[in-house]
Amino acid sequence: MFVVVVRNNFKPEAMDASFVLASYLASQGIASSFIDSSDLFASEVELPLLPAADEMTLAVVLGGDGTILRTARLIGDRAIPILGINFGNLGFLANKGENGVVDLVSRALIGELVRDERANLEVSVVCEGDVDDDLDGCMSRRLFALNEAAITRGSLGRTISYSLDVSGVSMAEVSGDGVIVATSTGSTAYSLAAGGPIVHPGYRGMIIQPLAPHTLTARAILTDANDVACIDLGSNREGRAATLFLDGDAIAFDAALQRVYVRRGTCPTVLLYAEKDHFYRYAASTFFGAEADRSRYL
């Protein structure tokens, strides 16, 4: 049994909780390692920060949604359950920690918490000069996102042009600020701010949301779980560089983006919760201004 703890080292309360948790895990004879969230700000993190997948039991995140997203990227397709305990601001992906971190972690270790499998994204990037014979054989970087991949206008602030293809079908030629391809988890993040729908986490498809398109015909698309979205920037004019953001972090490349392929990841991200209706409770309080009244449905 091995527990990895990622703590938001900018939050004194999270640091204090990590010391309490370290003492508890040691008292139970459970091996553990602690990672500061500041170590995860790089666009890519070296995997040796984590032990082998078969050695890990649990990843505990002491922080907010941003720390959870970066932990999910670090874990990738390892299928290690993530227990988020909110020490951030919104904390939509995390549990409340009013009963203390030991209570939640001990319940997670004995299997008392609810497993919530979330679809994530596999993002394949083809840059200028790369070979792109097909999606599986192209010379590209394969990247991970739990919330969304966003292709947006670059530092000069000029609009970009792109074509959108879904599973081989040409859907649109668009000029605007860019496009977001989000999971259901990401529906309550950037996609929502851009006018997209709130989608239950059980949905396995993608949400394709154009950003400020210069047309009245571009609309959000909800895809099938097995679809592949392709954003082709071949028509983008010189000097109008596009930037790729994964879960809010800018990803640097040595050459200009040409195509970005996005599809559902093969292994879901597992989040642990103390309540079965975590999503609806948080959606009610966060986006509709009140706690959900469950008594009306009993």
Side-chain angles (χ1 to χ4, degrees):
M1 186 175 290
F2 194 103
V3 175
V4 170
V5 180
V6 180
R7 57 194 179 188
N8 186 333
N9 53 303
F10 300 106
K11 299 282 186 179
E13 301 88 347
M15 293 299 292
D16 291 344
S18 73
F19 300 142
V20 172
L21 190 54
S23 178
Y24 166 73
L25 294 173
S27 71
Q28 300 300 306
I30 299 172
S32 62
S33 66
F34 289 74
I35 300 172
D36 289 339
S37 61
S38 59
D39 293 334
L40 304 184
F41 282 126
S43 61
E44 291 188 18
V45 177
E46 293 296 329
L47 290 180
L49 282 171
L50 296 182
D54 57 359
E55 297 175 2
M56 288 184 61
T57 307
L58 178 68
V60 179
V61 178
L62 307 177
D65 290 347
T67 310
I68 292 174
L69 291 172
R70 292 185 177 95
T71 302
R73 183 192 306 169
L74 181 64
I75 289 173
D77 60 359
R78 294 175 176 222
I80 307 301
I82 300 172
L83 170 63
I85 305 174
N86 188 30
F87 287 92
N89 296 318
L90 182 59
F92 196 79
L93 299 176
N95 293 270
K96 295 178 180 179
E98 63 267 20
N99 293 328
V101 295
V102 170
D103 174 70
L104 282 170
V105 171
S106 62
R107 291 172 62 192
L109 291 173
I110 61 176
E112 284 189 354
L113 299 187
V114 179
R115 289 173 57 93
D116 188 359
E117 294 190 353
R118 301 290 186 97
N120 50 47
L121 300 175
E122 178 186 294
V123 183
S124 300
V125 179
V126 180
C127 292
E128 193 173 74
D130 288 345
V131 176
D132 183 18
D133 295 328
D134 56 72
L135 178 58
D136 293 315
C138 66
M139 291 174 58
S140 64
R141 293 174 64 176
R142 299 293 178 92
L143 303 168
F144 172 96
L146 178 55
N147 265 1
E148 76 277 311
I151 299 94
T152 72
R153 54 184 180 171
S155 59
L156 295 179
R158 296 176 178 175
T159 58
I160 60 175
S161 299
Y162 61 91
S163 61
L164 172 64
D165 176 303
V166 178
S167 291
V169 178
S170 179
M171 300 296 296
E173 300 282 340
V174 185
S175 291
D177 284 359
V179 61
I180 301 167
V181 183
T183 63
S184 54
T185 300
S187 73
T188 55
Y190 194 3
S191 176
L192 179 68
I198 297 174
V199 180
H200 187 275
Y203 177 65
R204 292 291 181 260
M206 299 178 295
I207 305 156
I208 304 176
Q209 178 72 42
L211 285 169
H214 289 188
T215 175
L216 297 178
T217 58
R219 293 290 184 267
I221 301 172
L222 300 181
T223 75
D224 181 73
N226 297 316
D227 281 332
V228 179
C230 175
I231 296 89
D232 191 325
L233 294 154
S235 62
N236 198 34
R237 284 183 285 173
E238 187 176 352
R240 301 195 175 215
T243 303
L244 174 64
F245 291 86
L246 299 180
D247 292 342
D249 289 338
I251 309 301
F253 299 96
D254 294 330
L257 293 174
Q258 290 295 295
R259 280 167 296 282
V260 179
Y261 298 95
V262 188
R263 58 182 170 189
R264 179 171 57 97
T266 56
C267 182
T269 297
V270 180
L271 302 179
L272 298 181
Y273 292 109
E275 300 174 325
K276 287 185 178 180
D277 55 357
H278 173 88
F279 174 79
Y280 288 122
R281 285 181 179 272
Y282 270 68
S285 61
T286 303
F287 301 115
F288 299 99
E291 291 289 344
D293 182 3
R294 296 182 64 196
S295 63
R296 292 183 298 166
Y297 308 103
L298 298 179

